[in-house]
Amino acid sequence: MAGISGSQAFGSGFRLLGREPLAVLAWTLAYFILGVMPQLGMYAAVLPDLLQIMGGAKDGSDPTMADMMALNAKMPMLQLVSMLASLVSSSVLLGAVYRAVLEPENRRFLYLRLGVQELWIGLSLVVIYVLMVLALLVAAIPVAIVAFIARSAGGGMALVLVGLLVLALFGWLAIRLSLATPMAFTRRTFVVFESWGRTQGHALKIFLVYLALFALIAAVELALALSVRGVLKSAVASGAMEGFFADPMAALADAWPMVAAIVAAGSALGVIIMVLLAAPLADIHRQLPAEDQPVV
């Protein structure tokens, strides 16, 4: 059985970022248009209702039933738009990253497409999501039983151990299904369960690659979170937050350049994280023995 290079897979995303900065910029714009703008539009639709409730809470009054019903009526559409925007943007970005790694000569439109390969990636993502939800529902039964027993016995360690076991189970499932989307990209068909055999014997190496990546990303996000916390503390100390609650719409209108900068930075960071996490999958898929692929 051919092995894979964990260090090569780990560095594939960083190499892609350095090799294709213009493409990454285009991917960020595509992510903003396909993934962020639809959600911003829906959040803008519920913002007046949310501010109405927040204003009532600030005055010490409870939100009315009409306020809550108006907000709740819009939430299903918000969730649907959010899920569809996430699915479309993820499929397009994954397709672009896989194309840049597996088909670097196919650079037209900076690797961006919305075609059959992205369709099969999206379908594979939906099926993987459904499988994970089903696994969560199955795992919830023993977890609930152990939680009840642990609470009755006054011991929380058993619950912690079961929680860690469930987390390990989900991690193992994610690793074994991780090559489904790059396989769907290269084979141009629906692929999920075939990833199980392709990752056979390589799960530990894949786990270590992603453990290192997640640790690095978590460290960066922690540093950013601490920076944001410092900014918020300064805003509270300066009284800026009181001005926001006094007239939220006016405060947002005055702060739109900062809001736009935050949205742009968040979009760029999201794309960079996507590249760092997706490129290793394509690289591992490329390192493994070639598959028989359909002629299209």
Side-chain angles (χ1 to χ4, degrees):
M1 179 182 293
I4 60 175
S5 170
S7 60
Q8 178 179 319
F10 176 84
S12 59
F14 298 97
R15 291 192 297 272
L16 180 56
L17 291 173
R19 191 186 86 211
E20 296 287 354
L22 185 60
V24 174
L25 183 62
W27 300 347
T28 301
L29 180 60
Y31 173 64
F32 178 75
I33 294 173
L34 297 174
V36 177
M37 283 187 63
Q39 299 189 58
L40 288 178
M42 289 306 302
Y43 282 121
V46 302
L47 184 60
D49 302 299
L50 185 59
L51 292 176
Q52 179 73 22
I53 294 173
M54 291 172 60
K58 183 177 182 295
D59 296 334
S61 59
D62 295 329
T64 66
M65 182 61 68
D67 293 336
M68 297 301 298
M69 290 180 64
L71 181 60
N72 290 334
K74 297 177 181 179
M75 292 307 295
M77 182 58 67
L78 175 62
Q79 294 169 352
L80 178 61
V81 170
S82 179
M83 291 176 62
L84 289 176
S86 178
L87 177 62
V88 173
S89 60
S90 296
S91 300
V92 170
L93 289 178
L94 284 174
V97 174
Y98 294 161
R99 193 169 288 110
V101 175
L102 299 172
E103 304 173 3
E105 72 286 352
N106 193 4
R107 199 174 183 275
R108 185 166 49 95
F109 302 122
L110 297 173
Y111 304 107
L112 286 168
R113 307 283 196 283
L114 185 55
V116 65
Q117 288 169 298
E118 287 71 25
L119 172 65
W120 292 121
I121 288 173
L123 183 58
S124 298
L125 287 174
V126 170
V127 174
I128 290 172
Y129 174 78
V130 171
L131 289 174
M132 288 296 184
V133 171
L134 291 176
L136 178 62
L137 293 176
V138 172
I141 298 174
V143 170
I145 294 174
V146 172
F148 176 78
I149 295 174
R151 178 175 296 180
S152 301
M157 183 56 65
L159 183 59
V160 172
L161 292 176
V162 171
L164 291 175
L165 181 61
V166 170
L167 182 62
L169 172 63
F170 274 87
W172 178 65
L173 288 175
I175 288 170
R176 297 306 303 271
L177 298 176
S178 61
L179 295 185
T181 50
M183 290 175 69
F185 174 85
T186 56
R187 294 173 63 171
R188 291 173 168 81
T189 187
F190 171 71
V191 176
V192 169
F193 300 106
E194 290 86 343
S195 172
W196 199 271
R198 195 150 173 80
T199 56
Q200 180 70 36
H202 307 291
L204 179 59
K205 185 70 68 68
I206 297 172
F207 168 75
L208 293 175
V209 168
Y210 277 91
L211 180 64
L213 284 170
F214 281 128
L216 178 62
I217 292 171
V220 173
E221 290 184 342
L222 177 60
L224 290 175
L226 292 175
S227 300
V228 171
R229 181 185 177 189
V231 172
L232 290 176
K233 288 181 67 175
S234 299
V236 171
S238 64
M241 296 303 294
E242 294 182 6
F244 172 80
F245 284 111
D247 193 347
M249 298 306 294
L252 288 174
D254 293 337
W256 74 263
M258 182 179 67
V259 173
I262 292 173
V263 171
S267 300
L269 180 61
V271 169
I272 290 172
I273 291 175
M274 171 75 83
V275 171
L276 293 178
L277 295 178
L281 295 178
D283 189 81
I284 291 168
H285 178 55
R286 180 176 58 185
Q287 291 184 52
L288 292 173
E291 300 179 298
D292 293 330
Q293 298 175 16
V295 177
V296 293

